[in-house]
Amino acid sequence: MKKYLGPLSKDNPILVQTLGVCSALAVTAQLKPAVVMALSVTVVCAFSNLIISLIRNTIPSRIRIIVQLLIVSFWVVLVDLLLQAYFYEISKLLSVFVGLIITNCIIMGRLEAFALSHKPWPSFMDGVMNGLGYGLVLVVVAFFRELLGSGTLWNHQVVPNALYHAGYLNNGLMILPPMALILVGVMIWVRGSGVDR
Amino acid sequence: MRKFSNTYVFLYVSALVLLICVVLASVSIGLKSKREANVTREKYQQILKAAGYKDVPKKKTVSFFQEIAESEKGGKTSEQYHIRCADGNPGIVVRVQGKGLWGPIWGYVVLSEDGSSIKGVSFAHKSETPGLGAKITEDEFTNAFIDKKLYDQNGVFTSVRVVKKGQEGDLLEENRVDAISGATITSRGVDNMMKELRIEN
């Protein structure tokens, strides 16, 4: 199990490999979409890895990127359809970003670097852990952005009204993408300073 | 890696594409009715919210709407319904639509029977920024529209304008609501959308 834990910190796709930053900035203004996005990426990454690993010996290397894209798109469209049918409200929150999972470099990166050369089960686990490593950063960033930017968590108000009456204001910058970039930067710095060692 | 012939590559990709197409198409068709039901339910939910009904259970939305809808009167260019509002009075539901910052925005406005004032609104959007433009769906914004008038003191149609604080001009309190700070374009979109509001006979 331990060998799969890398993506959570020392090989974290966002904090170490700086992949998938774009969507990390886009969907982290609130916790709920961030969590659903994290789960969607985890599902897509894990199952794409699994499929590619299963058929890895049949894929001609000249067209492997095309094949990878096809498989990733397949899972993304499937996830999108299921969200629309069963979790309609959440699918609206995520809007275009579910479709954009296709272009998430983390997934293509794992397919290319791992699934093409490993057996199905390790590939599946690699996908799950990378998805979770990505999701971890999303959730932390979204936590601070929603708390400081909107005074809520999971759409429930947590900053007491008394504080607002005392003159406290939500930080408008928190809900804008630049602040997400700054927060991700801070996380990279904190991680790089060796807290996980 | 093994070498593969061109024929193999061609057949491989074709088969893969075909397989994926068939699976996705069947899933899409299989879930179509469910997705459409979601869209309809959401529409009715929005109208019910605008009409002042709180806490209608999700599952009962459609039947509840059919109960209070007195007639479905389609305007030439827009949807229009006559319904019974939560306060017991009749109201006219008019659909409005426009553009936000990132995509379409739309909403339902419930007007009093004579069409002069607003009983309630609800807005929705496709992809406005969470925490900024997306706030148009929240009660804090929509409640401001309640009891606003569509005509000024001279009886001229002004609609309900969405304006920034400090830019009210000559607009009366009853003809405007505050824009959302940080969401100028979306607020302007709502403003434009409200200007287009018309009751059709």
Side-chain angles (χ1 to χ4, degrees):
Chain A
M1 192 62 204
K2 201 165 173 233
K3 64 182 170 183
Y4 298 122
L5 290 178
L8 290 186
S9 175
K10 84 176 170 15
D11 260 336
N12 190 286
I14 298 182
L15 300 182
V16 178
Q17 305 173 32
T18 25
L19 298 175
V21 174
C22 171
S23 56
L25 307 188
V27 298
T28 50
Q30 289 169 328
L31 261 179
K32 209 174 187 176
V35 168
V36 178
M37 183 70 178
L39 290 178
S40 307
V41 168
T42 305
V43 167
V44 170
C45 196
F47 284 96
S48 300
N49 261 4
L50 179 67
I51 300 280
I52 288 290
S53 175
L54 282 171
I55 62 171
R56 67 186 187 282
N57 293 324
T58 68
I59 303 172
S61 66
R62 274 180 291 167
I63 55 157
R64 66 182 193 283
I65 302 285
I66 297 173
V67 173
Q68 289 165 15
L69 260 182
L70 275 170
I71 302 291
V72 176
S73 315
F74 167 76
W75 285 107
V76 169
V77 175
L78 197 67
V79 166
D80 198 15
L81 286 173
L82 290 173
L83 284 179
Q84 279 176 30
Y86 296 101
F87 302 95
Y88 185 65
E89 277 72 27
I90 294 173
S91 88
K92 279 198 318 175
L93 277 179
L94 289 172
S95 64
V96 295
F97 294 106
V98 175
L100 287 177
I101 295 176
I102 296 174
T103 60
N104 193 317
C105 329
I106 296 170
I107 295 166
M108 287 292 281
R110 291 331 290 169
L111 293 177
E112 186 71 9
F114 200 91
L116 270 180
S117 51
H118 288 80
K119 291 206 164 96
W121 175 246
S123 298
F124 182 78
M125 284 309 291
D126 181 76
V128 170
M129 295 320 280
N130 271 284
L132 291 180
Y134 166 85
L136 189 69
V137 177
L138 251 63
V139 168
V140 172
V141 173
F143 175 83
F144 287 108
R145 288 183 73 191
E146 186 171 352
L147 180 65
L148 301 175
S150 315
T152 59
L153 283 178
W154 205 265
N155 285 342
H156 295 292
Q157 190 177 340
V158 289
V159 176
N161 278 325
L163 209 53
Y164 286 110
H165 290 310
Y168 173 80
L169 285 175
N170 288 326
N171 184 344
L173 187 58
M174 276 289 170
I175 33 192
L176 296 173
M179 201 60 205
L181 189 62
I182 293 171
L183 283 175
V184 170
V186 169
M187 284 185 75
I188 292 177
W189 169 56
V190 170
R191 204 217 66 83
S193 70
V195 283
D196 59 328
R197 253 176 253 142
Chain B
M1 281 244 179
R2 260 159 61 201
K3 283 284 266 178
F4 293 95
S5 70
N6 285 344
T7 326
Y8 176 87
V9 169
F10 186 74
L11 289 177
Y12 188 86
V13 175
S14 310
L16 195 62
V17 169
L18 202 67
L19 182 72
I20 288 177
C21 284
V22 170
V23 175
L24 285 182
S26 4
V27 173
S28 177
I29 293 168
L31 295 176
K32 196 175 172 206
S33 60
K34 207 153 178 98
R35 278 182 294 144
E36 280 172 357
N38 281 338
V39 174
T40 318
R41 198 190 60 212
E42 193 204 14
K43 182 173 106 179
Y44 289 163
Q45 258 171 352
Q46 261 195 290
I47 296 177
L48 291 179
K49 199 177 139 207
Y53 292 99
K54 307 270 182 247
D55 309 321
V56 179
K58 250 186 187 179
K59 283 188 179 138
K60 289 190 184 151
T61 308
V62 175
S63 59
F64 188 81
F65 179 81
Q66 281 156 354
E67 217 172 278
I68 60 152
E70 280 159 9
S71 67
E72 184 165 335
K73 195 165 139 193
K76 278 199 189 73
T77 51
S78 61
E79 284 176 64
Q80 233 167 267
Y81 305 89
H82 283 244
I83 62 163
R84 195 174 69 246
C85 294
D87 59 9
N89 296 320
I92 307 167
V93 184
V94 183
R95 184 187 158 92
V96 287
Q97 50 198 0
K99 283 207 302 271
L101 174 59
W102 304 112
I105 53 177
W106 64 95
Y108 293 90
V109 180
V110 181
L111 299 168
S112 60
E113 208 181 6
D114 59 359
S116 69
S117 66
I118 290 180
K119 294 173 75 75
V121 295
S122 65
F123 296 119
H125 63 92
K126 172 104 175 119
S127 46
E128 297 310 296
T129 321
L132 293 174
K135 277 191 179 165
I136 58 170
T137 62
E138 290 172 12
D139 290 348
E140 197 187 331
F141 182 65
T142 55
N143 284 346
F145 284 84
I146 295 173
D147 292 332
K148 296 285 173 180
K149 304 272 183 287
L150 293 177
Y151 297 88
D152 67 8
Q153 70 271 45
N154 303 321
V156 179
F157 181 80
T158 55
S159 189
V160 175
R161 305 292 306 270
V162 182
V163 286
K164 281 192 179 174
K165 279 188 184 124
Q167 295 179 1
E168 293 93 347
D170 303 333
L171 283 168
L172 297 173
E173 175 76 41
E174 57 184 25
N175 290 132
R176 61 177 161 82
V177 296
D178 288 335
I180 298 170
S181 49
T184 310
I185 312 275
T186 313
S187 300
R188 203 177 292 154
V190 176
D191 186 43
N192 286 331
M193 183 160 90
M194 292 301 290
K195 276 196 269 187
E196 301 288 312
L197 182 76
R198 295 284 183 278
I199 302 177
E200 293 175 25
N201 290 311

